[in-house]
Amino acid sequence: MKAIPEVDRKAYELAKSYLPSLKITGVTQALIEKYQNLSSLRPKPTSRNELFERLLRSAQNAGMKSSVIGDSIGGVDKLSSVLYDFSPKLVLANYEDDWEAVLDRVIRELRPRGKIRKTSRSLWPLYCQTIISAARFIEQFDSANQFFEWVDFFDQDARARPSLPLLLDREIEGFGFALSCDFLKELGYVNFPKPDIHLHDIFEALELCQAEVDDYQLFKAIIRLASNAGVTPYAVDKVFWLIGSGNFYDDPEIGSIGNHKQDFIEFARLELLQE
């Protein structure tokens, strides 16, 4: 099955209508559209400190990181006390390149739950390395506005756009392409979908991309499908992510409805075979 425009459009329509079709209380078409709408996001940061904090939030949005990092200390915002209110300038002035000093202070003052492994490639040490390199990255910009002007330079050119997550991956230790996209889209940039595990599984299973693609290639496939469906890449990201995660994080009365990824794949595969 080829990912032709008609198949892309059908796949998106099936995804958008799937969860409401399950008749789960509160899960309606309007709710899905709410999560696809960027207006529900927090306002853009107005300072470098806010940018730094947002970056560190995205840095723990992968796999086990959120439970090992944010959840273990009561939220990423708790890092404010050891990161000087998320001031990249003061972080560099006080820690320089010493990520171990950051970790020692986190352990001493925030007392994360669970066992903290101190080997350099363990999650907390990696995250502390991200903190140092992220501070150095943000410190390059004189203001939040200058940062957004820089991002806009890439975003306005579809040919240059995919190079921005690649650049962030190189600049920020442990960030990676997918988390770079997460950071950008949560700042309000609709053209940077996050190629996470749920979208990998669904797109590959439905042959909307080649098998075992890397994040960069999946990113391009999401953008292609969005273009063919006449919606934003952000909208595509959210609708497939909700099927895989079941996490209606802004609606505690619904909460998590569980993973419906495999059921959707089986359903959609049969529907798409008719294309």
Side-chain angles (χ1 to χ4, degrees):
M1 181 176 64
K2 296 181 179 179
I4 56 176
E6 291 79 9
V7 173
D8 282 348
R9 286 192 289 271
K10 181 68 174 290
Y12 173 74
E13 291 166 3
L14 292 171
K16 187 174 179 182
S17 62
Y18 185 70
L19 291 181
S21 76
L22 301 181
K23 306 301 181 184
I24 299 169
T25 302
V27 181
T28 63
Q29 198 78 15
L31 182 69
I32 301 301
E33 291 173 358
K34 168 188 167 182
Y35 280 81
Q36 293 179 294
N37 186 352
L38 269 174
S39 65
S40 65
L41 288 177
R42 293 167 293 175
K44 279 187 177 181
T46 58
S47 69
R48 294 189 305 170
N49 293 33
E50 290 179 79
L51 271 175
F52 187 31
E53 181 181 1
R54 290 283 195 96
L55 197 156
L56 296 183
R57 288 186 184 277
S58 286
Q60 53 106 55
N61 282 343
M64 295 173 56
K65 282 185 178 180
S66 61
S67 58
V68 173
I69 307 298
D71 292 352
S72 73
I73 58 174
V76 170
D77 58 298
K78 295 296 191 296
L79 289 169
S80 177
S81 63
V82 299
L83 299 181
Y84 307 94
D85 293 324
F86 294 102
S87 166
K89 182 176 183 177
L90 292 178
V91 164
L92 294 174
N94 285 275
Y95 297 116
E96 297 182 340
D97 289 323
D98 191 355
W99 63 264
E100 291 176 291
V102 179
L103 180 57
D104 288 342
R105 191 167 171 194
V106 166
I107 293 172
R108 183 172 64 253
E109 297 185 18
L110 301 181
R111 300 186 179 187
R113 294 190 301 272
K115 184 177 180 179
I116 306 298
R117 299 180 184 277
K118 291 192 173 183
T119 53
S120 63
R121 306 315 291 174
S122 297
L123 290 183
W124 263 111
L126 280 173
Y127 190 73
C128 290
Q129 292 169 53
T130 299
I131 288 171
I132 295 295
S133 59
R136 199 167 299 285
F137 171 73
I138 295 296
E139 187 63 13
Q140 297 178 86
F141 301 95
D142 293 334
S143 65
N145 282 339
Q146 188 180 78
F147 169 80
F148 289 122
E149 289 171 1
W150 180 72
V151 175
D152 290 343
F153 169 79
F154 289 91
D155 189 35
Q156 67 190 0
D157 188 336
R159 297 163 300 180
R161 195 176 295 137
S163 64
L164 180 53
L166 289 171
L167 192 156
L168 291 175
D169 176 23
R170 298 290 294 178
E171 289 278 338
I172 303 168
E173 182 73 26
F175 212 41
F177 187 92
L179 292 182
S180 297
C181 292
D182 184 71
F183 171 56
L184 294 165
K185 75 180 178 67
E186 295 305 318
L187 289 176
Y189 288 95
V190 299
N191 293 315
F192 292 93
K194 180 185 178 184
D196 76 352
I197 185 61
H198 298 304
L199 277 82
H200 268 284
D201 290 345
I202 294 172
F203 269 60
E204 291 181 31
L206 298 183
E207 299 181 28
L208 299 170
C209 66
Q210 294 182 343
E212 299 182 359
V213 292
D214 61 18
D215 287 345
Y216 176 82
Q217 292 298 328
L218 178 59
F219 173 87
K220 295 179 72 173
I222 297 167
I223 289 173
R224 183 210 69 232
L225 186 146
S227 177
N228 287 332
V231 297
T232 66
Y234 182 89
V236 172
D237 174 318
K238 281 295 181 183
V239 76
F240 285 103
W241 181 83
L242 285 169
I243 290 170
S245 72
N247 182 12
F248 289 90
Y249 49 86
D250 275 342
D251 294 270
E253 70 280 8
I254 298 173
S256 176
I257 63 170
N259 184 332
H260 289 79
K261 181 166 52 183
Q262 196 54 47
D263 289 342
F264 170 72
I265 287 171
E266 293 173 8
F267 160 75
R269 186 182 283 128
L270 291 175
E271 294 290 322
L272 292 173
L273 283 174
Q274 301 175 24
E275 292 296 317

